[in-house]
Amino acid sequence: MASVTSLTASVHQRLATALTATLPQAAADPLLRRSDRADYQANGILALAKKAKANPRELAAQVVEKVVTGDLIEDVEVSGPGFLNITVTDRAITANLAARAADPEGRLGVPYAEDPGTTVIDYAQPNVAKEMHVGHLRSAVIGDSVVKLLEFTGESVVRRHHIGDWGTQFGMLIQYLDEHPHELDHKAAEVTGEEAMSNLDRLYKTARRLFDSDEEFKTRARRRVVDLQAGDPHTLAMWQKFVDESKIYFFSVFEKLDMEIRDPDIVGESGYNEMLQETCRLLEESGVAVRSEGALCVFFDDIRGPDGNPVPLIVQKSDGGFGYAATDLSAIRDRVFHLKADTLLYVVDARQALHFKMVFETARRAGWLGDGVKAIQLAFGTVLGKDGKPFKTREGETVRLVDLLDEAIERASAVVREKAQDLSEEEIAERGAQVGIGAVKYADLSTSASRDYKFDLDQMVSLHGDTSVYLQYAYARIQSILRKAGEVRPAAHPELALADAERALSLHADQFAEAVAEAAAEYAPHKLAAYLYQLASLYTSFYDKCPVLKAETPDQVENRLFLCDITARTLHQGMALLGIRTPERL
């Protein structure tokens, strides 16, 4: 099925045609937007009148005369200094929604992007041998939603989880365990998942303390890094064990987050080890990188330290080791030349902005990021506690992600149990997980990625305000009405007049495709979240003012059931693009 033209687009075209007929030489953009004074307001005539040296109200009146009304547009009137207030017909509103509902692909008439490309998105990057903490939440949740949005609009998406699985920390950990084999006791060797990761995390912290305090151990650990990079069998076997154990843990956490993480998509730092020497050679031979005090560096005129001296990007250290820059640059080469990406999207903490600025500029100088390739850091802010400071435990430790998710599920289950009338304990547990995880995701996704946000579970699981629970409850309420309707099925009746609350809900539901397109184009799930919250709010107003099953006529019952149904389907699809479930009952 072809995509459905939105009412906004249809009205825009109708006005543009009238503008062109009035001012044939002008670039006819009516600057249309939704309005509180009418269905739409067009503000473009003011600028056109200025260019044409005409009176804006007189020009607006001439345009009105040329606007075709009746089928789509019911009324156009001049307002203020030359605005146009436009009211569309009830018939057009309902007919357009009916066309969306009839989409056989179930996309509600949302079109595919006109010129889709290939995007490699780098997100959800935990570290091997370390427990995931609250700092890993945003990259995973934002990245997962952006993947869903891009795929829904037809983009070819390659997922990459650039896990921390290489470098100094593994030489340190492996060396420590070789010298303290009793630390990895029989019991620890038998456990998997969260318990095993807690044990590994403890060992890592112990090794780190020794590394920082004992110069001789530090030297041995660094030699072990060389062994790892050279492929020493014993060292590699130890390393592989850590990676395998960590992956089991990662999968369990992502499953709790209701996110799909596929093993082939996990290409960590180690995946580019074979490319590092060549990356350095290419940069040095091209003159992009130069040797400075034994290290291979890239310098930038506009990046200097507090002392005024240049701050370089160090690609290779003076001891021959490779840092993050070498790995990230090698990844760019792989993603552009092997995966044929035209967009590289990195969902990474805003505090790494300078690093990525330098990496992207280096790749451009080297010719790896050509004119046809975009590299973008989708930088996200910090998760804060209720006190507005970075989220920590009472002891000052970073909050474990698993603990945070478990508490969210526990809180949400209590809310579900309080509201549940006919749910079993098993169903309460299932809904509690869907509501709790949805609450955590929505709190993140309803905030612009670049902003910090406060993690407040009490607010997140509230039935009131801008929360996922409010949206989920609106969806479940609609499903309850549809069940109670029994044999009476939803059916659009374009011939019926619409009440104000019906018009407001219908006009907003008709803008779903535009909301999805904008969120995908700008990598901005928060814009879709805002659209869905307004949709649920308008539905609540409709529900309060317009009886559905007790409407005045059978046709009106069917039409209001149709409005309920299209709203529920829009909520369901929109929430799915945010990675959030919509339970049928709450």
Side-chain angles (χ1 to χ4, degrees):
M1 174 182 174
S3 62
V4 179
T5 302
S6 71
L7 284 170
T8 304
S10 297
V11 172
H12 185 282
Q13 183 57 50
R14 191 71 61 90
L15 289 175
T17 300
L19 275 170
T20 302
T22 307
L23 287 174
Q25 316 306 325
D29 185 351
L31 298 180
L32 192 70
R33 64 178 181 83
R34 288 296 308 280
S35 171
D36 294 334
R37 297 168 182 257
D39 294 333
Y40 297 97
Q41 187 174 82
N43 302 334
I45 288 175
L46 296 178
L48 290 172
K50 189 174 182 180
K51 285 185 180 178
K53 297 182 179 177
N55 180 294
R57 276 191 68 90
E58 291 177 5
L59 180 60
Q62 292 172 34
V63 172
V64 168
E65 290 177 5
K66 292 182 170 58
V67 174
V68 177
T69 59
D71 56 339
L72 170 65
I73 296 176
E74 183 174 295
D75 184 49
V76 188
E77 62 176 27
V78 180
S79 171
F83 302 135
L84 296 182
N85 287 341
I86 302 104
T87 303
V88 295
T89 67
D90 289 347
R91 177 177 289 276
I93 293 172
T94 305
N96 227 55
L97 274 188
R100 290 194 182 284
D103 183 348
E105 293 184 36
R107 294 175 56 82
L108 301 172
V110 176
Y112 290 99
E114 290 182 7
D115 188 22
T118 298
T119 294
V120 175
I121 177 166
D122 188 326
Y123 70 109
Q125 310 105 341
N127 294 307
V128 165
K130 293 183 187 177
E131 291 181 287
M132 292 178 69
H133 55 76
V134 67
H136 291 113
L137 180 65
R138 300 208 73 185
S139 177
V141 171
I142 295 168
D144 185 55
S145 180
V146 171
V147 166
K148 287 177 165 63
L149 280 163
L150 293 179
E151 288 182 337
F152 191 67
T153 56
E155 183 81 355
S156 176
V157 179
V158 180
R159 311 169 190 208
R160 279 292 176 264
H161 306 298
H162 191 85
I163 63 172
D165 67 347
W166 207 241
T168 304
Q169 64 265 38
F170 295 98
M172 183 178 71
L173 184 57
I174 293 166
Q175 186 65 32
Y176 181 82
L177 282 172
D178 257 10
E179 295 178 9
H180 304 81
H182 62 282
E183 292 273 5
L184 205 61
D185 59 27
H186 178 69
K187 181 185 175 186
E190 288 181 343
V191 299
T192 59
E194 289 180 29
E195 192 176 347
M197 188 51 57
S198 293
N199 190 49
L200 266 183
D201 193 75
R202 177 184 58 79
L203 291 172
Y204 170 81
K205 289 173 181 175
T206 304
R208 176 90 242 181
R209 284 193 294 271
L210 187 61
F211 183 87
D212 290 339
S213 62
D214 185 329
E215 286 299 320
E216 291 184 3
F217 176 74
K218 182 181 289 188
T219 300
R220 295 194 299 275
R222 283 181 169 159
R223 276 200 221 107
R224 185 56 70 105
V225 178
V226 176
D227 292 342
L228 178 62
Q229 292 174 338
D232 172 65
H234 169 68
T235 304
L236 267 181
M238 291 275 285
W239 169 82
Q240 190 64 55
K241 184 177 181 181
F242 297 148
V243 171
D244 293 343
E245 196 59 69
S246 297
K247 280 186 178 180
I248 293 171
Y249 163 76
F250 296 157
F251 288 133
S252 72
V253 177
F254 288 125
E255 185 178 4
K256 187 166 286 190
L257 260 175
D258 197 17
M259 279 175 51
E260 179 191 34
I261 299 290
R262 303 177 299 213
D263 195 59
D265 302 333
I266 299 176
V267 183
E269 295 165 355
S270 64
Y272 306 101
N273 189 49
E274 300 298 319
M275 299 176 66
L276 301 181
Q277 289 284 6
E278 185 182 27
T279 294
C280 292
R281 178 180 62 78
L282 291 170
L283 290 172
E284 190 167 14
E285 287 179 356
S286 65
V288 172
V290 295
R291 293 285 169 182
S292 175
E293 298 179 17
L296 185 63
C297 303
V298 182
F299 289 91
F300 310 87
D301 291 337
D302 60 337
I303 300 176
R304 295 179 179 274
D307 56 2
N309 293 325
V311 176
L313 180 71
I314 301 174
V315 184
Q316 188 176 25
K317 301 171 188 175
S318 57
D319 63 3
F322 302 100
Y324 294 126
T327 306
D328 287 335
L329 288 163
S330 298
I332 287 176
R333 289 175 55 215
D334 178 66
R335 293 167 185 184
V336 173
F337 300 115
H338 176 232
L339 299 177
K340 308 297 183 187
D342 41 46
T343 301
L344 306 180
L345 187 61
Y346 294 79
V347 189
V348 182
D349 192 318
R351 288 170 292 188
Q352 295 191 43
L354 180 60
H355 170 77
F356 278 99
K357 178 183 178 181
M358 293 194 289
V359 166
F360 295 162
E361 176 59 26
T362 299
R364 287 189 191 96
R365 292 181 188 177
W368 303 334
L369 286 176
D371 293 338
V373 184
K374 295 183 296 182
I376 302 164
Q377 182 194 358
L378 179 50
F380 56 81
T382 305
V383 181
L384 306 175
K386 288 184 183 181
D387 59 1
K389 298 176 181 177
F391 199 21
K392 303 279 187 182
T393 65
R394 288 180 182 176
E395 293 75 29
E397 295 287 324
T398 304
V399 179
R400 295 197 321 159
L401 184 54
V402 169
D403 294 341
L404 183 149
L405 298 178
D406 285 343
E407 186 178 354
I409 291 170
E410 186 179 326
R411 296 277 192 96
S413 297
V415 172
V416 172
R417 179 174 282 104
E418 184 182 327
K419 292 288 180 183
Q421 296 177 350
D422 56 352
L423 297 180
S424 67
E425 279 300 312
E426 185 179 350
E427 288 172 320
I428 289 172
E430 181 187 4
R431 303 295 193 282
Q434 292 174 346
V435 172
I437 297 303
V440 171
K441 288 184 175 182
Y442 187 84
D444 194 316
L445 295 172
S446 59
T447 304
S448 171
S450 61
R451 291 177 53 200
D452 299 342
Y453 80 96
K454 291 183 181 180
F455 195 93
D456 183 348
L457 273 176
D458 292 329
Q459 175 58 32
M460 288 179 187
V461 299
S462 172
L463 281 164
H464 308 287
D466 189 4
T467 67
S468 68
V469 191
Y470 178 71
L471 274 66
Q472 289 170 321
Y473 187 69
Y475 177 82
R477 173 186 275 170
I478 295 172
Q479 296 309 313
S480 175
I481 292 171
L482 294 174
R483 286 192 297 271
K484 288 177 183 175
E487 298 293 317
V488 183
R489 306 311 304 149
H493 287 275
E495 74 280 1
L496 291 179
L498 298 174
D500 288 347
E502 290 176 295
R503 289 178 61 85
L505 176 61
S506 300
L507 284 165
H508 191 70
D510 189 65
Q511 292 184 297
F512 180 57
E514 291 152 327
V516 170
E518 183 180 11
E522 298 179 20
Y523 313 120
H526 73 280
K527 293 198 170 183
L528 178 59
Y531 168 86
L532 294 172
Y533 173 61
Q534 190 176 355
L535 181 67
S537 300
L538 289 168
Y539 179 79
T540 299
S541 179
F542 159 79
Y543 178 82
D544 290 341
K545 296 173 182 176
C546 302
V548 177
L549 300 179
K550 294 182 179 179
E552 293 177 8
T553 67
D555 285 355
Q556 196 174 52
V557 171
E558 290 180 348
N559 198 60
R560 287 181 176 173
L561 282 173
F562 164 72
L563 273 180
C564 289
D565 185 53
I566 195 76
T567 300
R569 290 168 61 186
T570 304
L571 282 171
H572 176 77
Q573 180 61 75
M575 293 286 269
L577 293 174
L578 297 180
I580 298 173
R581 304 274 180 180
T582 42
E584 300 288 309
R585 299 172 188 263
L586 271 183

